[in-house]
Amino acid sequence: MKQLKEAILERGTVLSTGVLKVDQFLNHQVDTTLMSEIGVEFARLFENDQVTKVITIESSGIAPSFMCAHQLQVPLIFARKKKSLTMNQATVYSSRVYSFTKQEYSEVTVSKELIEKGDRVLLIDDFLANGEAASGLVSIVEQAGATVAGVGIVIEKSFQDGRKKLEERGLRIESLARIASLDGSTVTFIDETALVNN
């Protein structure tokens, strides 16, 4: 997606060979125009997949997944990283998820009332690195007896093994920007040969 790649190159910052900071437009401050375009693109990619619900993990996945769910005219569910007083273990589906950027585990939960057996659930997240967050959401959908319609990723770090793990589970992954490398403080996209320094 051209607009997203431009935002990454112009407003992203490479912090290391494994970390790309995009808090200027995606996961701290949100560029609502870009998020709207991302939602339209995800909706286009999955429009024929009979999606009944969209799911993400709070909080960075909420903006792009909201825009996608709005375009598809289906509800958005976000898995919580902390249970509220209204939720207990008997009333939720849960999965333990490791965050690459935060270097910690979270127990993510979704109320059992929100996903039904007939649902076709589209997973949307901001990043795909090692596939932990997406795998956790897949587990939750499967616990509900529902079907994963696909996985939509805003930015994929293709040099890590997340895509491979998800594809081995037979899942369809659509990433809007696939990064081949962050070496030398340079973002290199998997489908481009031009290098642009940050």
Side-chain angles (χ1 to χ4, degrees), residues 127-130 153 155-164 173 175 177-182 188-191:
F127 271 94
L128 175 61
N130 294 314
I153 301 295
I155 301 170
E156 175 187 327
K157 293 190 277 183
S158 298
F159 53 88
Q160 292 176 282
D161 63 356
R163 173 176 281 269
K164 182 179 177 217
I173 302 110
S175 299
R178 296 184 67 191
I179 295 174
S181 168
L182 296 173
T188 306
F189 294 108
I190 204 164
D191 53 350

Side-chain angles (χ1 to χ4, degrees), residues 126-147:
D126 60 338
F127 271 94
L128 175 61
N130 294 314
E132 294 287 323
S135 295
L137 290 176
V138 169
S139 172
I140 285 172
V141 172
E142 290 175 344
Q143 288 171 49
T147 302

